[in-house]
Amino acid sequence: MGSNPAPFSDIGKRAKDLLNKDYDFGHKFTLSVPSSTGLGLSATGLKKDEIFIGDINSVYKSGNTTVDVKVDTYSNVSTKVTMVDILPSTKAALSFRIPDHKSGKLDLQYLHPHAAIDSSIGLNPTPLLELSATIGSKELVLGGEVGFDTASASFIKYTAGIGLNKPDFSAALLLADKGQALKASYIHAVDPFTSVATEMTHRFSTYQNSFTIGSSHLVDPLTSVKTRLSDGGKFAVQFQREWRPKSLVTVSAEYDSKAINSAPKMGLAIALKP
């Protein structure tokens, strides 16, 4: 990305990833098989409570074009074709899902040295239109996003935000939920092995405040431990180990202090990449 500003969806992403990424309280197994010919295959199975979901995914890359096809256990076939640099600094993606004939969508992205623009339009008679834009630099970003539903002729979302990124910390402030909530997040690298993060939300209509704090610690180059605590009394911990190159085993657990009669949630995720 160089010195370009990040897309709007990346504002606050570093803190959000520390607090949420890879926390999975089901049983998940992923097998990825890369290929030097440009064709990659992966299979994923997820069991959560009594529900099992699986899919087989193939990705083919040729030049500036990537074709991604996924088939799930409900016989849905999802396809996404991505083309990079059709015009300088642009990316276009066409996606659709069979048998849902109204699922077609076209995404366009343009990156400028001082701006990033993302747009999306549904390919149906009453499409959903989305547009986001940021201006600034790699370190300081200011932007917003809007979503408009042509079926109801109404805005379904509008959000504004600002982000500050440095090598050892990142801060973000978002006016979200159609101006009904103010969200602030911060992540700080205490040292090369430990980071802490927090996310706070204030809702203007109810005057409610909520927060989540978390930490990540690198025990050794192959092992990490994460913790998370929310104001709702939920405490979570995650252990992740790279037991072979690019193959991970992740164990997650969460205890809800307000549900004393319920057992803690447990999760196991295994990702294999031969």
Side-chain angles (χ1 to χ4, degrees), residues 2 16 18 32 36 44 56 58 62 73 89 105 112 127 145 175 183 196 202 237 244 251 253-254 265-266 270:
K16 187 181 299 182
L18 188 149
S32 300
S36 59
T44 301
I56 297 177
S58 64
S62 177
T73 49
S89 304
K105 187 172 68 169
H112 182 272
E145 67 174 358
L175 183 62
K183 298 181 179 181
V196 294
H202 173 75
V237 61
R244 57 175 295 169
V251 179
E254 184 180 63
K265 294 180 180 179
M266 300 293 293
I270 299 176

PDB file of all heavy atoms in Angstrom, residues 2 16 18 32 36 44 56 58 62 73 89 105 112 127 145 175 183 196 202 237 244 251 253-254 265-266 270:
ATOM      1  N   GLY A   2       2.124   1.141   0.445  1.00  0.00           N
ATOM      2  CA  GLY A   2       3.013   2.294   0.424  1.00  0.00           C
ATOM      3  C   GLY A   2       2.526   3.389   1.353  1.00  0.00           C
ATOM      4  O   GLY A   2       2.177   3.141   2.503  1.00  0.00           O
ATOM      5  N   LYS A  16      -9.357  -3.979  16.460  1.00  0.00           N
ATOM      6  CA  LYS A  16     -10.447  -4.939  16.282  1.00  0.00           C
ATOM      7  C   LYS A  16      -9.912  -6.354  16.090  1.00  0.00           C
ATOM      8  O   LYS A  16     -10.470  -7.316  16.624  1.00  0.00           O
ATOM      9  CB  LYS A  16     -11.304  -4.530  15.082  1.00  0.00           C
ATOM     10  CG  LYS A  16     -12.563  -5.358  14.888  1.00  0.00           C
ATOM     11  CD  LYS A  16     -13.330  -4.901  13.669  1.00  0.00           C
ATOM     12  CE  LYS A  16     -13.768  -3.466  13.778  1.00  0.00           C
ATOM     13  NZ  LYS A  16     -14.570  -3.047  12.590  1.00  0.00           N
ATOM     14  N   LEU A  18      -7.045  -7.598  17.241  1.00  0.00           N
ATOM     15  CA  LEU A  18      -6.521  -8.121  18.501  1.00  0.00           C
ATOM     16  C   LEU A  18      -7.658  -8.594  19.396  1.00  0.00           C
ATOM     17  O   LEU A  18      -7.562  -9.635  20.059  1.00  0.00           O
ATOM     18  CB  LEU A  18      -5.681  -7.069  19.220  1.00  0.00           C
ATOM     19  CG  LEU A  18      -4.912  -7.555  20.458  1.00  0.00           C
ATOM     20  CD1 LEU A  18      -3.617  -6.765  20.631  1.00  0.00           C
ATOM     21  CD2 LEU A  18      -5.736  -7.435  21.747  1.00  0.00           C
ATOM     22  N   SER A  32      -5.730 -26.456   3.535  1.00  0.00           N
ATOM     23  CA  SER A  32      -5.397 -25.665   2.342  1.00  0.00           C
ATOM     24  C   SER A  32      -4.280 -26.363   1.577  1.00  0.00           C
ATOM     25  O   SER A  32      -3.281 -26.784   2.164  1.00  0.00           O
ATOM     26  CB  SER A  32      -4.946 -24.259   2.741  1.00  0.00           C
ATOM     27  OG  SER A  32      -5.970 -23.580   3.453  1.00  0.00           O
ATOM     28  N   SER A  36       1.757 -24.528  -7.372  1.00  0.00           N
ATOM     29  CA  SER A  36       2.623 -23.631  -8.134  1.00  0.00           C
ATOM     30  C   SER A  36       2.021 -23.263  -9.485  1.00  0.00           C
ATOM     31  O   SER A  36       2.521 -22.378 -10.177  1.00  0.00           O
ATOM     32  CB  SER A  36       3.992 -24.292  -8.350  1.00  0.00           C
ATOM     33  OG  SER A  36       3.851 -25.519  -9.049  1.00  0.00           O
ATOM     34  N   THR A  44     -13.136 -26.437   4.396  1.00  0.00           N
ATOM     35  CA  THR A  44     -13.387 -25.961   5.751  1.00  0.00           C
ATOM     36  C   THR A  44     -14.636 -26.625   6.308  1.00  0.00           C
ATOM     37  O   THR A  44     -15.652 -26.744   5.622  1.00  0.00           O
ATOM     38  CB  THR A  44     -13.571 -24.439   5.772  1.00  0.00           C
ATOM     39  OG1 THR A  44     -12.398 -23.815   5.260  1.00  0.00           O
ATOM     40  CG2 THR A  44     -13.810 -23.944   7.191  1.00  0.00           C
ATOM     41  N   ILE A  56     -16.039 -26.155   0.195  1.00  0.00           N
ATOM     42  CA  ILE A  56     -14.827 -26.417  -0.582  1.00  0.00           C
ATOM     43  C   ILE A  56     -14.581 -25.206  -1.456  1.00  0.00           C
ATOM     44  O   ILE A  56     -15.495 -24.732  -2.152  1.00  0.00           O
ATOM     45  CB  ILE A  56     -14.981 -27.686  -1.441  1.00  0.00           C
ATOM     46  CG1 ILE A  56     -15.184 -28.907  -0.549  1.00  0.00           C
ATOM     47  CG2 ILE A  56     -13.760 -27.886  -2.324  1.00  0.00           C
ATOM     48  CD1 ILE A  56     -15.424 -30.189  -1.316  1.00  0.00           C
ATOM     49  N   SER A  58     -11.981 -23.119  -4.235  1.00  0.00           N
ATOM     50  CA  SER A  58     -10.856 -23.159  -5.180  1.00  0.00           C
ATOM     51  C   SER A  58     -10.551 -21.745  -5.640  1.00  0.00           C
ATOM     52  O   SER A  58     -11.462 -20.950  -5.897  1.00  0.00           O
ATOM     53  CB  SER A  58     -11.183 -24.044  -6.380  1.00  0.00           C
ATOM     54  OG  SER A  58     -12.254 -23.516  -7.133  1.00  0.00           O
ATOM     55  N   SER A  62      -4.251 -15.952 -12.439  1.00  0.00           N
ATOM     56  CA  SER A  62      -3.544 -15.872 -13.709  1.00  0.00           C
ATOM     57  C   SER A  62      -3.349 -14.405 -14.048  1.00  0.00           C
ATOM     58  O   SER A  62      -4.316 -13.680 -14.302  1.00  0.00           O
ATOM     59  CB  SER A  62      -4.328 -16.571 -14.822  1.00  0.00           C
ATOM     60  OG  SER A  62      -3.669 -16.432 -16.067  1.00  0.00           O
ATOM     61  N   THR A  73     -22.242 -26.611   2.054  1.00  0.00           N
ATOM     62  CA  THR A  73     -23.062 -27.785   2.341  1.00  0.00           C
ATOM     63  C   THR A  73     -24.529 -27.591   1.970  1.00  0.00           C
ATOM     64  O   THR A  73     -25.294 -28.555   1.955  1.00  0.00           O
ATOM     65  CB  THR A  73     -22.968 -28.138   3.833  1.00  0.00           C
ATOM     66  OG1 THR A  73     -23.186 -26.954   4.618  1.00  0.00           O
ATOM     67  CG2 THR A  73     -21.614 -28.713   4.169  1.00  0.00           C
ATOM     68  N   SER A  89      -4.074   1.788 -10.742  1.00  0.00           N
ATOM     69  CA  SER A  89      -4.465   1.936  -9.334  1.00  0.00           C
ATOM     70  C   SER A  89      -5.909   1.541  -9.063  1.00  0.00           C
ATOM     71  O   SER A  89      -6.520   2.018  -8.101  1.00  0.00           O
ATOM     72  CB  SER A  89      -4.227   3.380  -8.851  1.00  0.00           C
ATOM     73  OG  SER A  89      -2.890   3.765  -9.046  1.00  0.00           O
ATOM     74  N   LYS A 105     -23.089  -8.676  -7.477  1.00  0.00           N
ATOM     75  CA  LYS A 105     -22.562  -7.420  -6.922  1.00  0.00           C
ATOM     76  C   LYS A 105     -21.276  -7.052  -7.642  1.00  0.00           C
ATOM     77  O   LYS A 105     -20.468  -7.917  -7.983  1.00  0.00           O
ATOM     78  CB  LYS A 105     -22.302  -7.568  -5.417  1.00  0.00           C
ATOM     79  CG  LYS A 105     -21.908  -6.277  -4.739  1.00  0.00           C
ATOM     80  CD  LYS A 105     -21.842  -6.434  -3.228  1.00  0.00           C
ATOM     81  CE  LYS A 105     -20.706  -7.328  -2.801  1.00  0.00           C
ATOM     82  NZ  LYS A 105     -20.470  -7.277  -1.336  1.00  0.00           N
ATOM     83  N   HIS A 112      -5.383   6.281  -4.625  1.00  0.00           N
ATOM     84  CA  HIS A 112      -4.608   7.459  -5.010  1.00  0.00           C
ATOM     85  C   HIS A 112      -3.567   7.682  -3.921  1.00  0.00           C
ATOM     86  O   HIS A 112      -3.752   7.238  -2.780  1.00  0.00           O
ATOM     87  CB  HIS A 112      -5.556   8.661  -5.136  1.00  0.00           C
ATOM     88  CG  HIS A 112      -4.882   9.927  -5.574  1.00  0.00           C
ATOM     89  ND1 HIS A 112      -4.315  10.810  -4.672  1.00  0.00           N
ATOM     90  CD2 HIS A 112      -4.696  10.452  -6.806  1.00  0.00           C
ATOM     91  CE1 HIS A 112      -3.805  11.832  -5.331  1.00  0.00           C
ATOM     92  NE2 HIS A 112      -4.017  11.645  -6.628  1.00  0.00           N
ATOM     93  N   PRO A 127     -31.041  -2.213  -6.411  1.00  0.00           N
ATOM     94  CA  PRO A 127     -29.737  -2.524  -5.809  1.00  0.00           C
ATOM     95  C   PRO A 127     -29.468  -1.752  -4.522  1.00  0.00           C
ATOM     96  O   PRO A 127     -30.047  -0.700  -4.258  1.00  0.00           O
ATOM     97  CB  PRO A 127     -28.757  -2.099  -6.904  1.00  0.00           C
ATOM     98  CG  PRO A 127     -29.466  -1.003  -7.627  1.00  0.00           C
ATOM     99  CD  PRO A 127     -30.912  -1.379  -7.612  1.00  0.00           C
ATOM    100  N   GLU A 145     -18.445   6.595   5.133  1.00  0.00           N
ATOM    101  CA  GLU A 145     -19.126   5.637   4.276  1.00  0.00           C
ATOM    102  C   GLU A 145     -20.627   5.847   4.357  1.00  0.00           C
ATOM    103  O   GLU A 145     -21.154   6.302   5.384  1.00  0.00           O
ATOM    104  CB  GLU A 145     -18.781   4.197   4.674  1.00  0.00           C
ATOM    105  CG  GLU A 145     -19.311   3.782   6.041  1.00  0.00           C
ATOM    106  CD  GLU A 145     -19.076   2.315   6.339  1.00  0.00           C
ATOM    107  OE1 GLU A 145     -18.530   1.613   5.470  1.00  0.00           O
ATOM    108  OE2 GLU A 145     -19.440   1.875   7.458  1.00  0.00           O
ATOM    109  N   LEU A 175     -17.948   7.823  14.302  1.00  0.00           N
ATOM    110  CA  LEU A 175     -19.339   8.173  14.564  1.00  0.00           C
ATOM    111  C   LEU A 175     -20.177   7.218  13.727  1.00  0.00           C
ATOM    112  O   LEU A 175     -20.258   7.355  12.505  1.00  0.00           O
ATOM    113  CB  LEU A 175     -19.612   9.632  14.184  1.00  0.00           C
ATOM    114  CG  LEU A 175     -21.020  10.159  14.484  1.00  0.00           C
ATOM    115  CD1 LEU A 175     -21.307  10.129  15.984  1.00  0.00           C
ATOM    116  CD2 LEU A 175     -21.196  11.576  13.929  1.00  0.00           C
ATOM    117  N   LYS A 183     -17.670   5.435  18.732  1.00  0.00           N
ATOM    118  CA  LYS A 183     -16.798   4.317  19.039  1.00  0.00           C
ATOM    119  C   LYS A 183     -15.339   4.771  18.986  1.00  0.00           C
ATOM    120  O   LYS A 183     -14.924   5.414  18.030  1.00  0.00           O
ATOM    121  CB  LYS A 183     -17.012   3.168  18.055  1.00  0.00           C
ATOM    122  CG  LYS A 183     -18.420   2.585  18.079  1.00  0.00           C
ATOM    123  CD  LYS A 183     -18.560   1.430  17.107  1.00  0.00           C
ATOM    124  CE  LYS A 183     -19.960   0.828  17.150  1.00  0.00           C
ATOM    125  NZ  LYS A 183     -20.111  -0.322  16.236  1.00  0.00           N
ATOM    126  N   VAL A 196      -1.509  -4.305  23.828  1.00  0.00           N
ATOM    127  CA  VAL A 196      -2.780  -4.170  24.539  1.00  0.00           C
ATOM    128  C   VAL A 196      -3.710  -3.321  23.684  1.00  0.00           C
ATOM    129  O   VAL A 196      -3.262  -2.464  22.915  1.00  0.00           O
ATOM    130  CB  VAL A 196      -2.598  -3.537  25.932  1.00  0.00           C
ATOM    131  CG1 VAL A 196      -1.809  -4.463  26.836  1.00  0.00           C
ATOM    132  CG2 VAL A 196      -1.910  -2.182  25.824  1.00  0.00           C
ATOM    133  N   HIS A 202     -20.124   4.576  23.096  1.00  0.00           N
ATOM    134  CA  HIS A 202     -21.137   5.364  23.802  1.00  0.00           C
ATOM    135  C   HIS A 202     -22.340   5.546  22.889  1.00  0.00           C
ATOM    136  O   HIS A 202     -22.196   5.999  21.747  1.00  0.00           O
ATOM    137  CB  HIS A 202     -20.588   6.734  24.203  1.00  0.00           C
ATOM    138  CG  HIS A 202     -21.636   7.645  24.771  1.00  0.00           C
ATOM    139  ND1 HIS A 202     -22.139   7.489  26.046  1.00  0.00           N
ATOM    140  CD2 HIS A 202     -22.303   8.715  24.227  1.00  0.00           C
ATOM    141  CE1 HIS A 202     -23.045   8.414  26.269  1.00  0.00           C
ATOM    142  NE2 HIS A 202     -23.165   9.171  25.191  1.00  0.00           N
ATOM    143  N   VAL A 237      -9.997 -16.232  26.632  1.00  0.00           N
ATOM    144  CA  VAL A 237      -8.564 -16.449  26.467  1.00  0.00           C
ATOM    145  C   VAL A 237      -8.357 -17.309  25.232  1.00  0.00           C
ATOM    146  O   VAL A 237      -9.201 -18.151  24.891  1.00  0.00           O
ATOM    147  CB  VAL A 237      -7.953 -17.130  27.715  1.00  0.00           C
ATOM    148  CG1 VAL A 237      -8.581 -18.497  27.947  1.00  0.00           C
ATOM    149  CG2 VAL A 237      -6.447 -17.249  27.604  1.00  0.00           C
ATOM    150  N   ARG A 244       3.634 -26.388  12.706  1.00  0.00           N
ATOM    151  CA  ARG A 244       4.470 -26.576  11.536  1.00  0.00           C
ATOM    152  C   ARG A 244       4.265 -25.351  10.661  1.00  0.00           C
ATOM    153  O   ARG A 244       3.305 -24.599  10.860  1.00  0.00           O
ATOM    154  CB  ARG A 244       4.140 -27.873  10.793  1.00  0.00           C
ATOM    155  CG  ARG A 244       2.713 -28.000  10.346  1.00  0.00           C
ATOM    156  CD  ARG A 244       2.515 -29.249   9.518  1.00  0.00           C
ATOM    157  NE  ARG A 244       3.264 -29.174   8.263  1.00  0.00           N
ATOM    158  CZ  ARG A 244       3.434 -30.216   7.456  1.00  0.00           C
ATOM    159  NH1 ARG A 244       2.942 -31.393   7.794  1.00  0.00           N
ATOM    160  NH2 ARG A 244       4.088 -30.088   6.318  1.00  0.00           N
ATOM    161  N   VAL A 251      -6.866 -22.737  20.407  1.00  0.00           N
ATOM    162  CA  VAL A 251      -7.820 -23.114  21.449  1.00  0.00           C
ATOM    163  C   VAL A 251      -8.355 -21.832  22.079  1.00  0.00           C
ATOM    164  O   VAL A 251      -7.582 -20.965  22.501  1.00  0.00           O
ATOM    165  CB  VAL A 251      -7.160 -23.997  22.521  1.00  0.00           C
ATOM    166  CG1 VAL A 251      -8.175 -24.356  23.608  1.00  0.00           C
ATOM    167  CG2 VAL A 251      -6.586 -25.263  21.894  1.00  0.00           C
ATOM    168  N   ALA A 253     -11.434 -20.096  24.813  1.00  0.00           N
ATOM    169  CA  ALA A 253     -12.375 -20.345  25.901  1.00  0.00           C
ATOM    170  C   ALA A 253     -12.950 -19.019  26.366  1.00  0.00           C
ATOM    171  O   ALA A 253     -12.252 -17.995  26.355  1.00  0.00           O
ATOM    172  CB  ALA A 253     -11.695 -21.077  27.055  1.00  0.00           C
ATOM    173  N   GLU A 254     -14.215 -19.033  26.755  1.00  0.00           N
ATOM    174  CA  GLU A 254     -14.871 -17.814  27.248  1.00  0.00           C
ATOM    175  C   GLU A 254     -15.773 -18.151  28.426  1.00  0.00           C
ATOM    176  O   GLU A 254     -16.565 -19.101  28.374  1.00  0.00           O
ATOM    177  CB  GLU A 254     -15.689 -17.151  26.144  1.00  0.00           C
ATOM    178  CG  GLU A 254     -16.313 -15.824  26.577  1.00  0.00           C
ATOM    179  CD  GLU A 254     -17.118 -15.168  25.468  1.00  0.00           C
ATOM    180  OE1 GLU A 254     -18.132 -15.777  25.037  1.00  0.00           O
ATOM    181  OE2 GLU A 254     -16.741 -14.064  25.026  1.00  0.00           O
ATOM    182  N   LYS A 265     -17.701 -21.486  27.311  1.00  0.00           N
ATOM    183  CA  LYS A 265     -17.624 -21.848  25.902  1.00  0.00           C
ATOM    184  C   LYS A 265     -16.196 -22.266  25.574  1.00  0.00           C
ATOM    185  O   LYS A 265     -15.244 -21.639  26.019  1.00  0.00           O
ATOM    186  CB  LYS A 265     -18.026 -20.673  25.010  1.00  0.00           C
ATOM    187  CG  LYS A 265     -19.476 -20.253  25.128  1.00  0.00           C
ATOM    188  CD  LYS A 265     -19.763 -19.085  24.196  1.00  0.00           C
ATOM    189  CE  LYS A 265     -21.207 -18.638  24.284  1.00  0.00           C
ATOM    190  NZ  LYS A 265     -21.472 -17.476  23.389  1.00  0.00           N
ATOM    191  N   MET A 266     -16.070 -23.320  24.784  1.00  0.00           N
ATOM    192  CA  MET A 266     -14.764 -23.802  24.361  1.00  0.00           C
ATOM    193  C   MET A 266     -14.741 -23.919  22.843  1.00  0.00           C
ATOM    194  O   MET A 266     -15.759 -24.207  22.208  1.00  0.00           O
ATOM    195  CB  MET A 266     -14.466 -25.168  24.993  1.00  0.00           C
ATOM    196  CG  MET A 266     -14.457 -25.183  26.512  1.00  0.00           C
ATOM    197  SD  MET A 266     -13.085 -24.240  27.209  1.00  0.00           S
ATOM    198  CE  MET A 266     -11.698 -25.248  26.671  1.00  0.00           C
ATOM    199  N   ILE A 270      -8.260 -25.943  13.860  1.00  0.00           N
ATOM    200  CA  ILE A 270      -7.030 -26.501  13.301  1.00  0.00           C
ATOM    201  C   ILE A 270      -6.946 -26.115  11.840  1.00  0.00           C
ATOM    202  O   ILE A 270      -7.881 -26.354  11.063  1.00  0.00           O
ATOM    203  CB  ILE A 270      -6.987 -28.040  13.453  1.00  0.00           C
ATOM    204  CG1 ILE A 270      -7.027 -28.433  14.920  1.00  0.00           C
ATOM    205  CG2 ILE A 270      -5.731 -28.605  12.784  1.00  0.00           C
ATOM    206  CD1 ILE A 270      -7.093 -29.920  15.152  1.00  0.00           C
TER     207      ILE A 270
END
